[in-house]
Amino acid sequence: MQIERLPPVVASLRPSNHPYLNGAWTPQHEEVTAVDLDVISGAIPTDIDGIYLRNTENQLHQPLGRYHPFDGDGMIHAIDFSNGSATYRNRWVRTRCFAAEQDAGGSLWGGLMDGTGVSLRPGFGAHGRLKDSSSTDIIVHAGKAISTFYQCGEGYVLDPETLDQSGLAPWVPLDGISAHPKVDDRTGELMFFNYSKHAPYMHYGVVDAQGQLTTYQPVPLPGPRLPHDMIFSEHWSILNDLPVFWDAELLKRDVHAVRFHRDIPARFALVPRHGGEVRWFEAAPTYVLHFLNAYEEGDDVIVDGYFQENPTPGPVANDDGYGHLMAHVDEHSFKPTLHRWRFNLADGSTREERLDERLLEFGTINQAYAGHKYRYAYSTTTKPGWFLFNGFVKHDMLTGESTVLQLDEGRYASEAPFAPRVGAIDEDDGYLVSFIIDENRGTSECILIDCKDFAAGPVCRIALPHKISSGTHAHWADRRVLRQA
């Protein structure tokens, strides 16, 4: 492995006992480019061609208040597969907030858990006083990677092959874009939403394959809401109004306290792909952090995602005073399960069913089937009490069968998108790609799992040049799709 290290950036973070500033969440501050990566076991397949992109949170500066892992500065990690070899690079997302704190030499904004008066400058996003760290999601559209922030940030553009940054996505509206814009590889279109504390509280938009904003319309809500994800079918985009949002009375005093309003139904908005009249459907109260896929079948629009049984859990036991934080990022506390909603366009009814009793989240599919009927899904399992992935489950949505791949204790995965095998014909003919943090050895690696032989485990383990931090989302950019942009 040959490693080139870039000049360091300014950092002021001091050691602490914070659970999400240590262990698998220890921030990574080093930027490198590494070629000819060492193979730990197996061999890099010659039939995988593309780039795995991973966004992580890495706090650079000493927090002004109480740190939440979603406050960390965004860093993109990329491993590029071509002709049986792999190259790695990682780069900070140099947002305007990143640049300002580099100039200041320290933090300028408070975080998700802080009250009013902590931030030293006006903030960004629906919350109104946060730093846009662009650390949540990463996708590729029209040949460019776009890094996004969960509470509606600006949208930063990078070259997916070099990670060179080229400023802001020009089509992003004044209210920003939420994390989880969706790309339809069949049409080249990108669908997005945003939300805010001012009426109409949410908008929906479409950007075409050439990067031009073609649709932008309001989706009026009763008040400020906290949607996190969306999904699409062939003709519809599905947004949501879920009963987990800021307490209206406390919000009048600028206190952002989230409540689960158990007496209010969940509502799903079906918006015609290119704009038009919104169809609303009611369902059982819940919160959905992430959806999996949607498709149309007769008069039904079918949506699969992860239904939370307990969206606002009480604190977990923690001697250091982090129990509230720990519970709200712990799937074993908020209890998400794989769920299906059927929205009937003819009679306006909703039918629901649970597809798996296990606690699962952060699902991925073969993106060639996004918006269409599909057969295979891949979910993650997590370590109880922690936001750490410790395994994967492959679901056969046709037969109901599933296969589990559990990681060894102390090894934690990244979100794992599906990478189709070159020349693949079958839906599951390809690999899951994931970065692994090995706390036993203090190292990180990349693994490839053959989805045709899922239970066999990784067919290849590739050493990374440094231990990375954990984070939220990842994306597979297939070379074939990049060439078409």
Side-chain angles (χ1 to χ4, degrees):
M1 185 189 308
Q2 300 175 11
I3 304 173
E4 175 192 359
R5 289 181 168 84
L6 278 62
V9 299
V10 176
S12 63
L13 183 65
R14 299 191 297 269
S16 74
N17 68 340
H18 196 293
Y20 284 92
L21 290 171
N22 289 281
W25 281 85
T26 302
Q28 167 58 257
H29 292 168
E30 178 183 63
E31 294 175 294
V32 307
T33 298
V35 299
D36 298 326
L37 298 181
D38 297 333
V39 177
I40 301 169
S41 66
I44 300 174
T46 58
D47 57 2
I48 179 172
D49 190 16
I51 306 163
Y52 173 68
L53 298 165
R54 167 75 164 149
N55 203 339
T56 63
E57 287 92 358
N58 302 266
Q59 183 71 5
L60 262 175
H61 299 292
Q62 187 63 23
L64 297 177
R66 298 171 295 169
Y67 179 71
H68 189 285
F70 298 166
D71 300 336
D73 297 280
M75 176 184 282
I76 308 299
H77 308 257
I79 184 166
D80 189 321
F81 295 95
S82 181
N83 298 318
S85 64
T87 298
Y88 168 88
R89 52 175 49 84
N90 68 306
R91 300 291 186 269
W92 293 104
V93 185
R94 283 170 160 76
T95 67
R96 292 196 286 177
C97 294
F98 177 95
E101 291 189 332
Q102 284 292 291
D103 290 341
S107 292
L108 296 173
W109 287 274
L112 182 62
M113 297 181 67
D114 294 327
T116 57
V118 175
S119 293
L120 304 179
R121 293 187 184 179
F124 292 81
H127 199 284
R129 58 169 180 263
L130 300 177
K131 172 174 65 176
D132 179 359
S133 58
S134 201
S135 61
T136 309
D137 197 15
I138 182 78
I139 61 161
V140 171
H141 174 247
K144 296 294 185 181
I146 303 172
S147 176
T148 53
F149 181 58
Y150 70 101
Q151 276 210 14
C152 300
E154 295 183 296
Y156 286 84
V157 181
L158 304 94
D159 185 304
E161 296 183 290
T162 66
L163 298 188
D164 291 341
Q165 198 162 306
S166 54
L168 301 173
W171 46 264
V172 173
L174 183 63
D175 284 331
I177 54 170
S178 175
H180 304 306
K182 302 294 182 178
V183 176
D184 186 342
D185 285 346
R186 300 192 186 203
T187 67
E189 293 170 312
L190 177 148
M191 285 70 71
F192 72 91
F193 70 99
N194 60 28
Y195 57 100
S196 66
K197 290 186 288 189
H198 58 82
Y201 305 111
M202 186 161 67
H203 289 82
Y204 163 73
V206 180
V207 182
D208 68 17
Q210 288 70 48
Q212 300 297 313
L213 182 67
T214 59
T215 300
Y216 189 63
Q217 74 167 68
V219 182
L221 299 176
R225 296 295 189 264
L226 292 168
H228 183 72
D229 198 9
M230 64 170 290
I231 201 68
F232 66 90
S233 65
E234 184 178 2
H235 299 103
W236 301 90
S237 289
I238 299 97
L239 310 181
N240 57 82
D241 171 14
L242 304 176
V244 179
F245 50 86
W246 292 309
D247 183 289
E249 292 304 312
L250 293 176
L251 197 58
K252 293 175 182 177
R253 307 202 305 267
D254 202 26
V255 176
H256 294 77
V258 177
R259 283 184 53 205
F260 180 26
H261 304 262
R262 295 179 182 274
D263 57 337
I264 299 177
R267 296 200 306 153
F268 293 84
L270 271 63
V271 187
R273 166 74 69 95
H274 300 110
E277 183 179 355
V278 179
R279 296 279 307 269
W280 286 99
F281 292 81
E282 292 190 351
T286 189
Y287 189 76
V288 182
L289 193 62
H290 300 116
F291 294 99
L292 185 59
N293 197 18
Y295 59 94
E296 297 159 25
E297 194 172 73
D299 290 329
D300 286 344
V301 177
I302 299 168
V303 176
D304 293 342
Y306 299 92
F307 181 106
Q308 293 186 11
E309 293 289 342
N310 187 26
T312 53
V316 299
N318 181 272
D319 294 336
D320 297 319
Y322 298 112
H324 181 75
L325 161 65
M326 298 289 283
H328 279 76
V329 294
D330 167 36
E331 291 178 20
H332 291 258
S333 293
F334 59 80
K335 301 185 183 305
T337 56
L338 186 56
H339 196 79
R340 174 166 289 172
W341 295 263
R342 286 180 175 268
F343 305 118
N344 187 277
L345 297 169
D347 62 17
S349 66
T350 301
R351 287 180 290 155
E352 303 182 55
E353 61 178 311
R354 181 171 295 184
L355 301 181
D356 197 309
E357 295 293 332
R358 289 170 289 191
L359 301 183
L360 303 168
E361 243 284 1
F362 286 82
T364 60
I365 65 168
N366 182 334
Q367 284 302 306
Y369 292 79
H372 296 266
K373 192 167 186 176
Y374 68 117
R375 179 168 179 175
Y376 299 105
Y378 309 90
S379 302
T380 60
T381 61
T382 56
K383 178 179 180 178
W386 289 87
F387 182 13
L388 290 169
F389 305 145
N390 63 3
F392 303 102
V393 179
K394 176 185 177 180
H395 282 92
D396 185 327
M397 309 297 273
L398 178 63
T399 67
E401 297 175 346
S402 64
T403 307
V404 177
L405 177 58
Q406 199 71 36
L407 298 178
D408 292 340
E409 183 66 30
R411 286 171 61 85
Y412 304 110
S414 301
E415 185 178 51
F418 178 88
R421 185 175 275 110
V422 174
I425 299 175
D426 295 338
E427 182 182 339
D428 64 341
D429 192 7
Y431 304 92
L432 280 197
V433 189
S434 182
F435 286 148
I436 300 293
I437 300 168
D438 191 329
E439 280 297 292
N440 305 313
R441 296 174 176 83
T443 59
S444 287
E445 63 194 61
C446 179
I447 63 170
L448 299 178
I449 302 165
D450 187 341
C451 292
K452 286 285 191 183
D453 192 11
F454 198 77
V459 297
C460 181
R461 296 171 54 207
I462 306 164
L464 298 185
H466 49 208
K467 179 186 167 188
I468 69 170
S469 173
S470 193
T472 48
H473 292 287
H475 182 82
W476 174 255
D478 201 72
R479 195 88 57 191
R480 176 186 55 81
V481 176
L482 288 176
R483 290 193 187 111
Q484 293 172 352

